[in-house]
Amino acid sequence: MARLIRTEKEVEGRYEEVWLVVEEDSLDQWPAGPREIVGRDAVRVDGRERATGQAVYTADLAKPGMLHTAVLRSPHPRARVARIDLAPALAMPGVHAAIGPGDIEQLTSDCSFQGEAIAAVCADSLAHARTALRAIVCEFEVLEPLLDPDEAVRQGSLLGEARERSRGDYERGLAEADVVVEAEFRTQVVLHNSMETHQAVVEWMADGVEVHISTQYIWGIRDAVAQGLALPPDKVRIVCHYMGGGFGSKNSPDDYTFIAAELAKRTNRPVKCALTRREENTAAGNRNATIQRLTVGARSDGTLTALGGEFVNAVGWDGWSSGTEGPMQMLYACPNVKTTTYGAKLNLPPMKAFRAPGFVEGTFGLEALLDELATKLDLDPLELRRRNHTEATPEGNEYSGKNLLECYRRAEPHWERRHEVRARSTETVKRGVGMASQIWYGGGGPPSYAWIRVGSDGRATVVTAMQDSGTGTKTAMAQIAAEELGIPLEHVTVTLGDSDRGPYAAISAGSSTTPSMGPAVRAAAADARGQIEDIAEQRGLKGAPVHEVVDVLEDSQILGKGARGPNPTGMQVLTFGVQVAEVAVDIETGEVWVERIAAVHDVGRVINPLGASSQIEGGIIQGIGHTLSEERLHDPATGRLLTTTLDAYKLPTIADVPEIVSELIDEPDTHLTNLGSKGLGEPPIIPTAAAIANAIRDATGADVRRLPISREEMLRALREAETRQKEKVGAPAGV
Amino acid sequence: MQLTVNGHQYEVHGEVGTTLAEALREELSLTGTKIACGEGHCGACTVLVDDEPVLSCITLVHAVDGARVTTIEGLRDHPMIDAFVRSDALQCGFCTPGQIVSAVALVESEPAPTTEQIRHAMAGNLCRCGAYPKIEEAIRTWQG
């Protein structure tokens, strides 16, 4: 029976209360462990299409008569357009239309960050559009930008209120501590740089609008476009069959979609608006920089008595202040915790969600701080974490499932390698091992729906208007349907990527696709299976394979439908894990190499171990980039961006990849849905930076506190450690 | 001008300044070749010109008049495709055609490359999803 409930919905750690119609989840979970198909390696069902270049991405779409767009973006972090003249552009060859400030709300003459859109031109080729763009006359009055996050906090230039979170008595906790460690950590701006840039093709149809877009959230785009264009949502069709990466940056339609829509309307042609790589590095979102001023107090046995932090998220001109304090609030049993988080509004490009926003940054600070504490207390870092493990949430609620101690146990063989790794140090190259824990969301939630049809050939098609952002969820859904129906994996087709062809499906963000969609697909398959069993009974074929039962159906089809049930009430659904990093540091040059990373994560039941290992490797490799090489730089005087190409912005290459060993606990979360699966997209990137920083401390005694750990930062930390060592040696005995 | 692409002869009429990638994608509708940066930094547009890997987004089509071009569409039956799929050496797949073309160029000259050789030959092909460990595995095991 359909039931209306008021529930909390979580995406990327942000909660909102929503009304939901849910259907009871009456299916029992499968027993733990690999099944016939679920829990076993499956190659991607769309692997060949992608590998052979047959897959048509938004970037590959060429509609008849389609026009191409170039966008004029502010070269200044803060400026007013004093004069603009589009006429010269309109006179250029091949140009069909030009729009500027005032034509749509996404184009402005009041520029608050570099990359903000001012005007756009569409032409019969991209080359013509770009040439015409240069003909636009645009004069700027350049204004003083606000760039410093601390200054923004002082001035009250904030996005939202400062977030105060506290439990227990922080001051008393500090007073009770035998040891207190304080440190300031800084993390840099990191860019998503999906290989397919943000783009859309918009065409006005006789009745509504059709939008092909590279997106992680078909249904969110549908709503936002409908609202932006004042159309009923049913008149907006969103299509995304294949997309070339998003990592959190492709959840909204953004300026390019509305620019294409307006130009398409004016020209009565389909219009493509695709960001260039340089625009992608400027105006497509980022993981914002943070400043974290952290304090930990502990008894001499390592029991935490107080955790405190002031977190400044350098959000940029727009976006949201992510939960950088989350790990400090959630990871340990500490009774006294007090955090304040500011979202600094600056004349810098807006942030967007980037793979575990806030928690990647906050885990670096917290877990590096914990190791500084372990060093002071002369305690084994892994033991310190065990001593502060919590069985219930620090607020006293139950976890739906938590196997962090088991993660620690399985990490032990990797942790034990540290003696042997250290022993391989030389005079100038020091080696060490570090670890860090991971906590994050990833439970998904309702609503999400799937339909399924089974033909008389015993083959099934799953239909749901979800997207596969490259994570392999299409394959996981096929596995779940095949398992439930009891048919071979290759007899299942999954149709997705089109809001006109299937029911509502969840966003592919917040590690939620598998835990949101999987239970709906299983429910749909179970609905169909139930009908097939009825037919089997009538044919006297009880227990026979599906294709034998349905082979007389001719054109009849079995239609099943399924919905995602609610999350357990009163419980927190979270993911956990631990990573152990091995590094080598050249103490003369400051160069750092990551030599090995072992990852153990707890995300409930694993649907596809092969795809899961790829997710873990990808997360770790992005984490290594975040830790060692990636940084979007701006000129501190003018605010102008300095790294807008893939030459200047240093992504990891195949040559930067260490040995990666991954392991999943693979225990179904018995309280969570008919699957017991959580998401894995984000967990693997979370502890990587801290594990590497802690390995560097183990190798050299140096406390790195700033990402990326450039050679300058490494050498600074080494010098500081050396000075500290000298002072310690030089100090009178007994002090 | 004349191009031989995947064994077929084409007459191409690119305007001056047209890149090989644009000619392949727009004139010949061979969209398997991807453009991810358009300035020669990422490798997604890699094709073979007379068997050598080339960045087609910074190669002017007029510079390869008369040449023999192989794109991912010409490699559909190459065992490297199966190796990539089998090893799960792709995630979003946008860089994958370029990765495969580079990998094919490598194994055509060195059928059993060492890890070092793989890393050297493939370092110019960026993959933001981080499929690198499995790309390495695919190239190591491409012969099945």
Side-chain angles (χ1 to χ4, degrees), chain A residues 44 48 50 54 57 59-60 191-193 195 244 247 277-278 470 613-614 618 621-622 630 647 651-652 657, chain B residues 25 31-32 34 36 39 41 72 76 81-82 88 90-94 100 119 128-130 132-134:
Chain A
R44 272 160 217 263
R48 272 197 77 80
R50 292 184 194 253
Q54 281 171 305
Y57 295 75
D60 302 324
L191 302 171
H192 306 75
N193 263 318
M195 294 307 285
F247 314 111
R277 180 56 54 187
R278 291 179 188 218
S613 67
S614 296
I621 290 164
Q622 281 188 353
E630 294 180 39
D647 191 32
L651 295 179
V657 177
Chain B
R25 287 174 55 82
T31 55
K34 306 300 179 197
E39 48 192 342
H41 293 154
I72 189 70
R76 286 210 173 135
I81 300 271
D82 279 340
D88 206 38
L90 66 145
Q91 292 185 31
C92 83
F94 203 78
I100 290 175
R119 288 178 166 224
R128 186 45 156 164
C129 300
Y132 298 129
K134 290 188 170 133

Side-chain angles (χ1 to χ4, degrees), chain A residues 165-486:
Chain A
R165 296 172 70 183
S166 136
R167 66 170 182 264
D169 184 338
Y170 173 68
E171 299 301 333
R172 208 183 66 200
L174 271 187
E176 285 169 4
D178 297 319
V179 176
V180 173
V181 180
E182 289 179 302
E184 181 182 301
F185 297 90
R186 286 178 184 249
T187 64
Q188 79 282 38
V189 174
V190 175
L191 302 171
H192 306 75
N193 263 318
S194 310
M195 294 307 285
E196 182 184 34
T197 63
H198 287 65
Q199 50 197 296
V201 176
V202 181
E203 183 173 10
W204 290 84
M205 314 305 273
D207 184 24
V209 69
E210 189 176 291
V211 180
H212 289 254
I213 180 170
S214 183
T215 186
Q216 300 172 230
Y217 192 18
I218 283 176
W219 291 86
I221 300 290
R222 178 175 174 267
D223 281 351
V225 169
Q227 197 181 15
L229 300 179
L231 289 170
D234 277 349
K235 300 297 176 197
V236 178
R237 180 183 182 191
I238 307 297
V239 185
C240 177
H241 291 299
Y242 299 94
M243 60 95 72
F247 314 111
S249 70
K250 290 180 177 167
N251 300 337
S252 51
D254 302 346
D255 54 19
Y256 58 91
T257 304
F258 290 104
I259 288 168
E262 180 64 19
L263 291 168
K265 196 176 208 173
R266 290 185 180 213
T267 57
N268 204 21
R269 297 263 207 121
V271 172
K272 177 182 276 188
C273 186
L275 268 58
T276 64
R277 180 56 54 187
R278 291 179 188 218
E279 287 175 289
E280 189 76 13
N281 275 267
T282 307
N286 57 68
R287 183 192 295 285
N288 58 254
T290 71
I291 304 168
Q292 307 173 36
R293 300 181 174 98
L294 311 183
T295 305
V296 59
R299 293 188 203 283
S300 51
D301 67 357
T303 311
L304 300 182
T305 59
L307 281 168
E310 182 195 83
F311 299 83
V312 180
N313 286 318
V315 177
W317 188 251
D318 202 1
W320 41 283
S321 183
S322 55
T324 315
E325 77 283 10
M328 180 172 271
Q329 287 283 351
M330 293 161 67
L331 192 47
Y332 295 114
C334 183
N336 309 300
V337 182
K338 188 178 173 199
T339 61
T340 306
T341 309
Y342 300 98
K345 184 170 183 167
L346 303 162
N347 293 113
L348 289 166
M351 63 74 77
K352 277 190 185 162
F354 189 160
R355 213 167 184 170
F359 276 54
V360 167
E361 303 85 326
T363 299
F364 167 64
L366 175 69
E367 288 292 85
L369 183 76
L370 264 271
D371 265 38
E372 292 191 27
L373 174 70
T375 308
K376 273 216 167 157
L377 292 171
D378 200 19
L379 260 180
D380 179 312
L382 180 54
E383 180 55 27
L384 173 67
R385 285 164 176 88
R386 280 200 175 107
R387 286 184 190 176
N388 291 288
H389 179 268
T390 176
E391 282 298 324
T393 76
E395 293 77 24
N397 293 320
E398 261 186 274
Y399 296 109
S400 61
K402 179 176 186 179
N403 296 299
L404 182 56
L405 286 177
E406 177 64 10
C407 292
Y408 289 152
R409 195 187 66 75
R410 294 207 203 174
E412 263 169 26
H414 306 292
W415 184 236
E416 282 311 312
R417 289 165 55 97
R418 66 195 186 283
H419 311 290
E420 175 265 327
V421 169
R422 285 179 200 148
R424 283 193 282 109
S425 296
T426 67
E427 193 66 21
T428 58
V429 176
K430 303 297 178 194
R431 288 188 162 78
V433 176
M435 53 88 54
S437 307
Q438 171 257 315
I439 191 166
W440 175 247
Y441 308 92
S448 275
Y449 308 93
W451 299 332
I452 195 164
R453 65 169 195 250
V454 184
S456 57
D457 56 359
R459 289 172 178 264
T461 301
V462 176
V463 182
T464 180
M466 62 180 270
Q467 55 286 315
D468 185 334
S469 58
T471 54
T473 42
K474 190 176 187 178
T475 308
M477 295 309 118
Q479 287 180 272
I480 291 166
E483 181 72 44
E484 182 62 30
L485 285 167

Side-chain angles (χ1 to χ4, degrees), chain A residues 106-119:
Chain A
Q106 288 75 19
L107 300 176
T108 183
S109 55
D110 199 4
C111 304
S112 302
F113 59 90
Q114 184 180 345
E116 192 158 21
I118 298 166

